[in-house]
Amino acid sequence: MSRTEAEFTRPPQLPATHFVDNHVYYDEGVFAEEKEKILSKTWRFVLHESEIPEVYDYRTASVADTPLVVARGKDGKIRSFVNSCSHRGAAVLRRPAGNLRAWRCMYHLWTYDPTTGECTSRPRPEAFDAVGLRQEACGLREVRTELIYGLVFVNLDENCMPLEEYIGDSLFLQREMIDTVEMEVIDFFELNLKCNWKNWMETNMDLYHEFMHVANRKTSLQIPEYYTRNWHTFPNGHFTVDRYSVEYNKYPGWEDREDSLALPGMKEDEFQITDVFPDITFLTRGTVVRIDNQIPLSPTETLVQYRALGIKGESEEDRMRRIRDYHSIWGLFGRNLPEDCLGVKLQGDAIYGGQVPYTYWCREENNLSQDDIAARTWWKEWSRLMGRDQSQPFEPESTVAAE
Amino acid sequence: MTIDRNKITDLIYDSCALLDDERFDDYIALCTPDFTYRITAFSEEIRKPMEWMYQTRENLLELLKAVETHEVAVAHLRRVASMVRIGEAQNGIVPVRSTVSVYHTWYDGDTRLFAIGTYKDRITTDGDSPLLASREVMLDTRRLASGSHIPI
Ligand code: FES
Ligand SMILES: [Fe+2]
């Protein structure tokens, strides 16, 4: 039976943790508050240390609308600064990556030291000195930067907890494969998706959606062990799910993966996902690690960055096979990623107009694979930080936040 | 040997139009038996060349045939090859470069640029009609609005 207007618009008869008021996906006020309370207060992944291996290497990033440059100083340490000239605000570095011993703003030629962020020269400085704006006070703003397992994170909140405490044990199933041998980024691309950043994040924590993927229907969803894996949840909104083995040769044109390419601690056909709040997902398919992170641009537009990790120093042949494994499913022209793009696009098309009130995260299956416990864990942390329940974001009292 | 330039530009036209029309068998018929297909790009971010797809003729056909089983994310792509530069033949292979722009039209008729790059082709002219011995699609675009099951 179809639903009437009253049935459609009333809150679902479910626990408050089990559904979402769709305003949280498109409301401008909610988005502004997320930037203030979540995106600029939590640890945000910006790059893998292999992206800036040499002294003076730098890489730009964007966190909660703040333009950043992450650089390896002459002492080998990685630091981050706001990538905006202290004079009239121009971005100091305009390429996404490079190697420079000094950073010179192109506008009026102020220069900065990549190790310390200090301002090192200003043409005709007397006129600044005359009004008391001394060079020592013109350094770039430094941003807290910490590493774990080669992953570089920043936090715009100087008073945040240490990164290690934030991550806790959540990477226990990923650690061996990314921290045993030296890894490096072997592929990078971005998607500019017309979706709310949380919709992309949800795709990465919703295993029930895997029915959409023809490749998964052929290689995974016929396997009993697929359904009997457990989710593990961690403080601060992170979670991970146990592994299973994929039958790659069941998809036309695919072969089984090469066991010699398996990453440490993984079998070549195993699959593993870990989500780190708020926007990071580690996905491993035996031979290659994928890392998604997000740059929300507006409530309904998101830049998602995709990195693949391989083993540093491996043979050219192994490298190419690893890259081909990665792209066969997760590439722009792979089997699954286009379908994930379509899923979030169609959600946006229907929901962001504001006339579809609620959606569900209500599956209960003893915390097994297709239980929605992962999404509920994520939303619980979102609600705690926002002081609003995702199911009734405009109610004055948050029940989740009060817990 | 004189190269029939019209036949070569016709081949490039057909390679675009047949993929646009999703006539995959006819597209593959434009390729030599040992045809290879690649999509590449240079990453300014990780400062490395990247390979986003590599297929032999046989594997590419298999993937293209499987497209109809998938939920395709792009409703219709139109590949526009222009700026065709035909090089000197060497050992029966003619190197040809062209600029390719790919436009995406959604079901409602809205059209956006999907990607732009270069077709770097190697073309054989032994038989009656020239054939693609290899194609490398070198993309300028590295930030896309969607993935696609059908390559470019
Ligand atoms: S804005 Fe950078 S020197 Fe003036
Ligand atoms: Fe997916």
Side-chain angles (χ1 to χ4, degrees):
Chain A
M1 217 184 347
S2 61
R3 284 181 288 168
T4 62
E5 182 188 2
E7 288 163 344
F8 184 62
T9 52
R10 77 173 177 220
Q13 306 301 295
L14 289 166
T17 46
H18 284 45
F19 63 96
V20 178
D21 177 330
N22 292 332
H23 277 94
V24 300
Y25 297 115
Y26 56 78
D27 185 87
E28 292 278 356
V30 168
F31 183 66
E33 207 172 296
E34 284 175 334
K35 282 195 275 193
E36 180 196 327
K37 295 181 174 173
I38 297 177
L39 301 173
S40 59
K41 290 279 190 304
T42 50
W43 282 101
R44 308 289 307 284
F45 172 75
V46 282
L47 53 89
H48 186 264
E49 63 174 340
S50 65
E51 292 171 64
I52 46 172
E54 306 295 334
V55 164
Y56 295 123
D57 278 349
Y58 72 86
R59 177 85 171 81
T60 58
S62 174
V63 169
D65 293 341
T66 308
L68 297 175
V69 51
V70 185
R72 195 180 286 275
K74 69 167 180 263
D75 56 358
K77 194 172 168 217
I78 294 175
R79 298 177 183 82
S80 308
F81 306 98
V82 173
N83 181 20
S84 173
C85 180
S86 308
H87 176 223
R88 301 276 305 132
V92 180
L93 287 318
R94 64 192 137 171
R95 288 178 175 272
N99 182 290
L100 288 171
R101 288 167 172 269
W103 294 340
R104 187 171 78 167
C105 177
M106 59 74 66
Y107 214 154
H108 315 86
L109 314 191
W110 285 27
T111 54
Y112 299 91
D113 181 331
T115 304
T116 61
E118 283 169 81
C119 178
T120 47
S121 74
R122 303 177 298 179
R124 289 169 49 80
E126 304 78 8
F128 295 113
D129 294 334
V131 294
L133 184 64
R134 295 179 317 122
Q135 185 167 303
E136 301 86 86
C138 290
L140 300 175
R141 185 205 151 176
E142 187 166 352
V143 172
R144 248 182 96 169
T145 305
E146 292 178 17
L147 277 78
I148 187 164
Y149 315 144
L151 311 163
V152 181
F153 286 73
V154 301
N155 197 321
L156 294 173
D157 178 6
E158 283 170 1
N159 301 312
C160 62
M161 69 176 88
L163 175 64
E164 265 191 46
E165 182 185 338
Y166 181 75
I167 296 291
D169 295 327
S170 62
L171 291 175
F172 84 103
L173 288 172
Q174 295 286 341
R175 179 183 180 155
E176 194 172 350
M177 51 190 121
I178 60 176
D179 197 39
T180 304
V181 291
E182 206 177 336
M183 304 291 282
E184 70 176 332
V185 176
I186 59 176
D187 192 81
F188 180 90
F189 62 86
E190 293 172 322
L191 280 172
N192 188 340
L193 298 173
K194 297 282 176 285
C195 75
N196 182 270
W197 66 281
K198 300 186 292 300
N199 283 130
W200 187 262
M201 192 64 198
E202 287 171 321
T203 283
N204 277 337
M205 50 202 188
D206 165 25
L207 298 189
Y208 185 53
H209 94 274
E210 294 196 323
F211 284 111
M212 81 156 59
H213 296 305
V214 176
N216 292 41
R217 297 208 292 265
K218 290 194 190 300
T219 66
S220 300
L221 292 157
Q222 81 287 10
I223 301 169
E225 297 76 55
Y226 171 92
Y227 299 94
T228 56
R229 294 169 292 151
N230 276 291
W231 280 102
H232 308 272
T233 60
F234 301 91
N236 307 316
H238 320 312
F239 34 88
T240 191
V241 65
D242 289 331
R243 300 166 183 183
Y244 73 104
S245 289
V246 177
E247 296 174 343
Y248 287 102
N249 62 9
K250 296 266 166 70
Y251 186 85
W254 285 359
E255 289 166 8
D256 283 334
R257 295 197 168 180
E258 189 63 51
D259 59 355
S260 65
L261 292 182
L263 295 173
M266 279 299 263
K267 291 203 199 92
E268 71 282 0
D269 56 4
E270 281 185 319
F271 182 53
Q272 160 83 59
I273 295 185
T274 303
D275 293 281
V276 170
F277 190 89
D279 67 319
I280 313 150
T281 307
F282 298 89
L283 305 101
T284 304
R285 282 183 180 268
T287 59
V288 65
V289 179
R290 160 180 153 192
I291 306 174
D292 293 10
N293 69 293
Q294 307 196 52
I295 302 173
L297 302 174
S298 82
T300 57
E301 189 178 6
T302 304
L303 201 59
V304 187
Q305 301 190 319
Y306 302 85
R307 286 171 170 81
L309 291 184
I311 294 174
K312 194 163 185 164
E314 65 190 337
S315 71
E316 185 63 19
E317 193 192 335
D318 285 358
R319 172 63 55 88
M320 292 320 292
R321 289 167 85 155
R322 207 179 289 288
I323 284 175
R324 289 168 191 172
D325 281 354
Y326 175 72
H327 277 281
S328 65
I329 299 188
W330 287 333
L332 287 163
F333 303 94
R335 301 294 92 181
N336 280 17
L337 195 72
E339 288 159 349
D340 291 319
C341 293
L342 181 62
V344 293
K345 175 191 161 39
L346 295 178
Q347 270 184 314
D349 284 354
I351 287 175
Y352 300 161
Q355 298 304 314
V356 178
Y358 298 105
T359 42
Y360 301 131
W361 283 120
C362 62
R363 291 178 57 81
E364 287 194 5
E365 222 180 329
N366 297 321
N367 294 357
L368 298 177
S369 326
Q370 293 195 340
D371 189 312
D372 287 338
I373 183 68
R376 287 194 292 271
T377 300
W378 191 95
W379 277 109
K380 194 171 168 188
E381 182 65 4
W382 183 94
S383 297
R384 189 181 74 78
L385 293 175
M386 292 286 280
R388 300 172 180 277
D389 287 3
Q390 89 285 343
S391 57
Q392 41 179 8
F394 303 120
E395 290 296 311
E397 286 296 313
S398 160
T399 52
V400 175
E403 265 180 34
Chain B
M1 185 181 69
T2 55
I3 294 166
D4 187 335
R5 299 180 64 92
N6 284 342
K7 280 190 172 177
I8 286 182
T9 52
D10 284 356
L11 171 64
I12 291 173
Y13 174 89
D14 289 344
S15 72
C16 293
L18 292 171
L19 269 191
D20 291 352
D21 293 345
E22 302 181 23
R23 287 168 55 190
F24 300 131
D25 284 308
D26 295 336
Y27 174 81
I28 289 294
L30 304 177
C31 308
T32 61
D34 57 357
F35 172 74
T36 58
Y37 175 91
R38 295 170 76 213
I39 301 176
T40 62
F42 183 84
S43 172
E44 291 289 340
E45 291 79 17
I46 60 172
R47 293 175 283 169
K48 283 182 192 139
M50 300 183 290
E51 183 191 81
W52 286 351
M53 186 180 248
Y54 171 84
Q55 299 297 336
T56 59
R57 181 191 210 261
E58 190 187 358
N59 263 329
L60 183 59
L61 180 60
E62 203 147 20
L63 280 183
L64 291 172
K65 282 186 159 164
V67 164
E68 64 178 13
T69 68
H70 285 265
E71 299 283 356
V72 294
V74 286
H76 182 252
L77 293 181
R78 181 177 289 279
R79 297 152 185 84
V80 180
S82 58
M83 313 275 291
V84 180
R85 187 81 173 83
I86 300 172
E88 290 291 319
Q90 272 194 345
N91 307 322
I93 298 279
V94 184
V96 181
R97 272 175 181 256
S98 46
T99 296
V100 60
S101 350
V102 186
Y103 295 89
H104 175 220
T105 301
W106 186 242
Y107 298 104
D108 60 7
D110 183 73
T111 297
R112 308 279 163 108
L113 180 66
F114 182 77
I116 189 161
T118 303
Y119 278 152
K120 203 174 145 197
D121 297 330
R122 289 168 61 254
I123 290 174
T124 62
T125 51
D126 307 338
D128 293 342
S129 326
L131 292 173
L132 284 168
S134 68
R135 166 162 285 175
E136 178 181 351
V137 187
M138 295 188 299
L139 286 179
D140 299 346
T141 309
R142 305 186 308 282
R143 179 185 290 175
L144 285 88
S146 172
S148 168
H149 290 104
I150 306 173
I152 49 188

